[in-house]
Amino acid sequence: MTVRCAVLGLGRLGHHHAKNLATHQVSGAKLVSVVDPLGERAEQFAREYGIEHWTKNPDDVFEDPTIDAVVIVTPTSTHAEMIAKAAKNGKAIFVEKPLTQSLEEADDIIQTIQETGVICQVGFMRRFDPAYAEAKRRIEAGDIGKPIYFKGITRDAGSPPAEFIQHSGRVFLDVSIHDYDIARYLMGAEITSVSAHGRVLLHSFMKEFKDVDQAITYVHFDSGAAGDIEASRNSPYGHDIRTEIIGTEGSLFIGTLRNQNVTLLNSKGSTYEIIPDFQTRFNDAYRLELVHFIECVQNRQTPKVTEIDGKVNLKIAIAATESFDSGKTVWLEGHVAEQTR
Ligand SMILES: NC(=O)c1ccc[n+]([C@@H]2O[C@H](COP(=O)([O-])OP(=O)(O)OC[C@H]3O[C@@H](n4cnc5c(N)ncnc54)[C@H](O)[C@@H]3O)[C@@H](O)[C@H]2O)c1
């Protein structure tokens, strides 16, 4: 069965997902419609990639019975409404992280998803990245013993524009949430407390949105492990994603700054090209997560990362935001039983 898909939102990441679908990188999927209120964006994409339909209005897609699945890459503040409409119209749902902006919204849409029985996958793509997948395999094989410390570095080359920051839910929901998810996954444990700090170092416009461009979350896990998670928008040298897991019998380092395995040596010294942006670093992962989603739609299977993981990660991110705002450690309780790590 070919899964007829629509992509909603053709911005920084939506364009990337739509291109993967349009250029047949995702077997079993056919991109039949693209949606963006900036009509010229949708029209131009449809023309360039030969997509049969484009529209400014998401309802055109939700109400189209020939569309099986939607890929929601709209601003975070719109996710809850998009997911609810998609579920009520029986569409399989791939939604970018974070699931929603509030726990109330998350509970509402989880209920709707369960009542309608649609599939929902959330875009925590690191789980599909070959390096993180290999690290998971090594941890499960016992190669580093028991994981006892997680260190996550996520540095963006710069800040997205103010319009994005305004709808992003602030740095812990927008950036650190990737590390909360992969930390839970790799450590095989749940986060039980967060202590978060941050500051505006470079991008002063963020103060208007109570956001920061440099943040740190210190976490405890229910396994007894601990960790620290840095999020930064201040990395002019490139997109810098590194993770370290310390175990009782060894360590794992995941990630590199190198874009290609080429080093230039000349009279000025040696240089290599650094990964420029998230689309480049996670090119494989963005494709592989959609491959998994389409397989789940075709086989009516539950995806590896569902709305339940989406809610657990959101809960951690909201607790971190509360900790940042209050200056106090926040303890998380009651989510261990509902997760699907
Ligand atoms: N997984 C990742 O690594 C990752 C990376 C970047 C962004 N994201 C997530 O993807 C989402 C989009 O981020 P972005 O950086 O692409 O944002 P963006 O601002 O670059 O693009 C958003 C696009 O959505 C369009 N849009 C706005 N309202 C819409 C609506 N109601 N229906 C359809 N389209 C609408 C906008 O016109 C714009 O083209 C956010 O939730 C963000 O958190 C995830």
Side-chain angles (χ1 to χ4, degrees):
M1 163 205 171
T2 299
V3 180
R4 289 171 58 85
C5 300
V7 172
L8 286 80
L10 293 172
R12 293 184 310 159
L13 185 54
H15 189 278
H16 192 86
H17 282 319
K19 192 173 161 194
N20 270 339
L21 290 163
T23 55
H24 312 293
Q25 306 295 309
V26 183
S27 131
K30 181 167 192 226
L31 181 61
V32 294
S33 183
V34 285
V35 187
D36 202 298
L38 300 176
E40 63 280 13
R41 258 188 202 182
E43 184 184 12
Q44 193 190 340
F45 187 94
R47 201 176 334 109
E48 190 175 346
Y49 291 96
I51 307 305
E52 37 186 88
H53 178 258
W54 67 268
T55 175
K56 291 181 185 182
N57 182 1
D59 289 341
D60 294 344
V61 160
F62 297 133
E63 289 163 12
D64 181 345
T66 71
I67 289 176
D68 305 307
V70 290
V71 176
I72 299 170
V73 206
T74 55
T76 297
S77 55
T78 67
H79 288 186
E81 183 193 349
M82 297 289 151
I83 298 168
K85 284 187 174 173
K88 284 175 187 158
N89 285 282
K91 311 294 181 207
I93 299 163
F94 177 95
V95 60
E96 265 309 326
K97 49 52 63 174
L99 179 67
T100 56
Q101 267 190 335
S102 74
L103 290 173
E104 294 73 25
E105 286 175 340
D107 284 336
D108 283 351
I109 63 108
I110 287 172
Q111 192 181 343
T112 309
I113 287 167
Q114 283 169 357
E115 281 167 9
T116 53
V118 297
I119 282 171
C120 180
Q121 181 175 331
V122 186
F124 289 106
M125 76 294 178
R126 288 192 193 180
R127 295 192 189 204
F128 297 88
D129 176 74
Y132 284 100
E134 172 64 4
K136 176 76 173 163
R137 195 185 68 71
R138 293 285 188 168
I139 291 168
E140 287 186 340
D143 290 352
I144 61 163
K146 182 177 188 267
I148 51 174
Y149 199 82
F150 176 92
K151 189 167 192 66
I153 294 173
T154 297
R155 294 185 191 149
D156 256 341
S159 172
E163 308 84 70
F164 178 91
I165 295 293
Q166 185 178 5
H167 296 284
S168 69
R170 302 162 71 187
V171 69
F172 302 102
L173 257 78
D174 188 49
V175 181
S176 299
I177 200 163
H178 279 299
D179 281 284
Y180 304 145
D181 180 68
I182 206 70
R184 297 172 50 234
Y185 186 60
L186 293 179
M187 300 296 281
E190 288 299 335
I191 291 173
T192 52
S193 73
V194 289
S195 178
H197 305 269
R199 210 163 219 209
V200 175
L201 300 182
L202 265 184
H203 305 283
S204 53
F205 77 88
M206 289 194 177
K207 289 179 185 159
E208 190 185 333
F209 308 109
K210 296 205 305 197
D211 209 348
V212 291
D213 57 19
Q214 189 75 38
I216 188 103
T217 316
Y218 178 73
V219 300
H220 280 172
F221 296 88
D222 58 5
S223 59
D228 67 84
I229 288 165
E230 177 193 329
S232 171
R233 310 270 198 194
N234 306 323
S235 163
Y237 54 87
H239 190 63
D240 184 0
I241 310 285
R242 285 172 283 151
T243 304
E244 188 177 350
I245 314 277
I246 299 173
T248 50
E249 292 166 38
S251 275
L252 277 164
F253 283 56
I254 306 152
T256 172
L257 289 172
R258 284 175 185 260
N259 196 22
Q260 283 155 2
N261 201 9
V262 172
T263 307
L264 169 68
L265 303 164
N266 62 19
S267 59
K268 294 183 191 129
S270 67
T271 52
Y272 57 84
E273 196 183 303
I274 292 175
I275 294 169
D277 49 38
F278 61 81
Q279 296 94 334
T280 306
R281 168 63 185 86
F282 290 109
N283 191 32
D284 287 338
Y286 290 133
R287 184 177 55 76
L288 291 169
E289 68 179 350
L290 286 182
V291 168
H292 176 69
F293 172 62
I294 295 301
E295 282 170 1
C296 288
V297 176
Q298 287 174 324
N299 303 323
R300 297 234 23 100
Q301 281 167 354
T302 305
K304 276 191 203 165
V305 202
T306 66
E307 67 282 3
I308 305 298
D309 278 302
K311 183 185 160 189
V312 175
N313 296 331
L314 180 68
K315 211 167 178 175
I316 298 164
I318 288 174
T321 309
E322 280 169 20
S323 169
F324 168 71
D325 285 341
S326 67
K328 293 181 180 155
T329 298
V330 175
W331 279 267
L332 288 132
E333 282 160 14
H335 66 270
V336 178
E338 64 188 5
Q339 59 79 38
T340 56
R341 187 177 62 238

